[in-house]
Amino acid sequence: MMFERRLAPSRAAKLSALAAAGMALLFSTSQASAETVVKWLHLETVPAHLKMWEDIAAKYESEHPGVDIQMQFLENEAFKAKLPTLLQSDDAPHFFYSWGGGVLKQQAETGALMDLTEAMRADGGAWEKSYNPAAVKGLTFDGRIYAVPLKMGTISFFYNKELFGKGGVKAEDIKTWDDFLKAVKTLKDAGITPIAGGGGDKWPLHFYWSYLVMRNGGQPVFEDAKNNEGEGFLHPAMIRAGQQLAELGKLEPFQGGYLGATWPQTLGLFGDGKAAMILSFEHTEATQRANSGDGKGLAIDNIGRFPFPTVEGGAGAVTDTLGGLNGWAVTKNAPPEALDFLRYLTNAENERLMASIGMLVPVAVGAEDGVTNPLVRAAADQLAASTWHQNYFDQDLGPSVGRVVNDVSVEILSGQMSPEEGARMIQDARELE
């Protein structure tokens, strides 16, 4: 599949299916008549978001006639599968979507990425200072910047207000983990599937274990484990998190066949009104709609949101947040025009536009007023009040440990592994790095 200068709306809707079919990804510059081609690789499937990216690129091209922005958008799993090989090939994109944490650090250590420090700190650091400092910090390792900030986000529960009403559950009553388990039981007793779960991709279920670790141990316990200090992942708070996860699993809270469900299918299930809750990203209102059977999904006024509950006796606070810090990593052979476009792509004006349609919580200084979607605004407000914002565990801990975290989360939830065994597996993986 080639990088394309333009994507027609009808084709944009087919991108996810094409990616899932495993078509070969090829980079082609021979077709471009422009002096410089900039190759952009991203994961995206929401039609409105695709159009926004395309409109921004078109405007830039109109102002820079010597540049051709060639875009390729893939579904999440196809993107992750193809990227490592591409980065080590002659067909590497010039810039691509990236998560902060250990994965980005490892990519930098392979020599595949461009060090952006000098570029972002030139002219008194004007480019670097145009973003939220926390965003830049999360994409910096050993004092060097390896990605241009795009957005921050937080994971929270979204719920179907109508199903909650039918089941006799009130979101405002869910404050603690015990409250949450009670709500799950109440919904099940009412014949309603409590939660849409995506076990096929595994990482969607690691959110539960991660949040339970945060709520039980707080930041010091996780930081010790991450740095191979103290009791690591064998700390009692880690074990307790696994026990609580197993307790949830025993209630069978997810839809039938959840262990094989992909994330798009899980979003679609929630969007089709077949599950009362989903633990998901800040832009869930848009993605549930795009993945629903009718393309409309739940109306925004039928979707509520609440933070992951606290645990009794835990050291973590409800204001501690788990979520993403995403940016654009630039490959080492990218032309200067790629950096110029990235500076344009992530400026306050464009981030404000993206925020206005619910795409993201912006990190560009001055773009905050673009957030109009009430659910995305709630995420932005939660992030603004965050006492500890933790990047996704599977990203922050690096690919090798992250894979084990995802596997263990699924196996504990499904009753295939004890919490103690899971903690030992993660600790072993960490020590082997």
Side-chain angles (χ1 to χ4, degrees), residues 168-316:
V169 172
K170 295 181 179 180
E172 57 268 27
D173 292 339
I174 303 175
K175 304 296 185 185
T176 68
W177 184 246
D178 288 342
D179 294 335
F180 179 73
L181 296 182
K182 180 181 178 182
V184 167
K185 294 174 186 176
T186 301
L187 289 165
K188 284 207 71 173
D189 289 344
I192 298 169
T193 298
I195 313 172
D201 290 333
K202 296 187 177 181
W203 57 262
L205 298 184
H206 105 286
F207 296 153
Y208 292 87
W209 185 78
S210 301
Y211 253 133
L212 286 168
V213 167
M214 292 174 67
R215 295 294 189 254
N216 280 284
Q219 187 171 8
V221 167
F222 176 74
E223 290 295 332
D224 281 351
K226 176 182 173 180
N227 296 318
N228 259 335
E229 296 176 357
E231 297 175 86
F233 289 96
L234 300 177
H235 190 282
M238 300 280 188
I239 304 296
R240 188 180 181 209
Q243 292 168 342
Q244 291 163 338
L245 187 65
E247 187 178 7
L248 173 63
K250 289 175 183 176
L251 297 179
E252 299 183 348
F254 305 111
Q255 76 275 16
Y258 81 95
L259 287 174
T262 65
W263 185 239
Q265 290 170 338
T266 305
L267 286 164
L269 186 83
F270 180 72
D272 291 338
K274 296 180 179 179
M277 291 181 280
I278 187 170
L279 185 58
S280 186
F281 305 93
E282 64 281 353
H283 49 59
T284 291
E285 187 271 326
T287 53
Q288 61 86 28
R289 185 178 349 110
N291 287 282
S292 63
D294 62 5
K296 298 178 180 179
L298 302 179
I300 191 169
D301 59 3
N302 189 31
I303 302 175
R305 180 184 181 279
F306 62 91
F308 197 92
T310 59
V311 299
E312 293 184 10

Side-chain angles (χ1 to χ4, degrees), residues 261-395:
T262 65
W263 185 239
Q265 290 170 338
T266 305
L267 286 164
L269 186 83
F270 180 72
D272 291 338
K274 296 180 179 179
M277 291 181 280
I278 187 170
L279 185 58
S280 186
F281 305 93
E282 64 281 353
H283 49 59
T284 291
E285 187 271 326
T287 53
Q288 61 86 28
R289 185 178 349 110
N291 287 282
S292 63
D294 62 5
K296 298 178 180 179
L298 302 179
I300 191 169
D301 59 3
N302 189 31
I303 302 175
R305 180 184 181 279
F306 62 91
F308 197 92
T310 59
V311 299
E312 293 184 10
V318 72
T319 48
D320 293 341
T321 51
L322 173 75
L325 169 58
N326 301 101
W328 302 110
V330 182
T331 51
K332 59 184 178 182
N333 295 321
E337 289 83 355
L339 295 185
D340 188 64
F341 175 65
L342 275 174
R343 186 168 186 165
Y344 172 81
L345 178 66
T346 58
N347 67 26
E349 178 183 353
N350 284 326
E351 288 236 319
R352 188 179 296 112
L353 285 172
M354 290 183 271
S356 71
I357 65 168
M359 285 177 69
L360 49 73
V361 176
V363 293
V365 175
E368 302 85 357
D369 59 354
V371 182
T372 57
N373 181 296
L375 293 169
V376 179
R377 166 53 63 189
D381 292 344
Q382 186 181 12
L383 281 168
S386 176
T387 46
W388 164 33
H389 185 64
Q390 172 57 47
N391 191 18
Y392 308 118
F393 280 23
D394 63 340
Q395 295 294 329

Side-chain angles (χ1 to χ4, degrees), residues 16-87:
S16 180
L18 291 175
M23 296 182 70
L25 176 64
L26 300 174
F27 297 99
S28 173
T29 60
S30 60
Q31 63 183 7
S33 58
E35 295 176 8
T36 302
V37 168
V38 174
K39 297 179 290 190
W40 172 8
L41 181 64
H42 188 23
L43 57 91
E44 186 64 85
T45 58
V46 178
H49 298 179
L50 287 163
K51 186 178 184 304
M52 177 63 74
W53 296 124
E54 179 152 328
D55 288 348
I56 291 173
K59 187 171 186 291
Y60 180 86
E61 286 180 338
S62 72
E63 298 169 358
H64 300 79
V67 180
D68 177 14
I69 308 297
Q70 294 189 354
M71 299 175 283
Q72 181 60 57
F73 299 98
L74 297 174
E75 183 273 328
N76 185 76
E77 297 307 311
F79 177 94
K80 290 180 178 178
K82 294 176 183 294
L83 184 61
T85 301
L86 284 171
L87 290 182

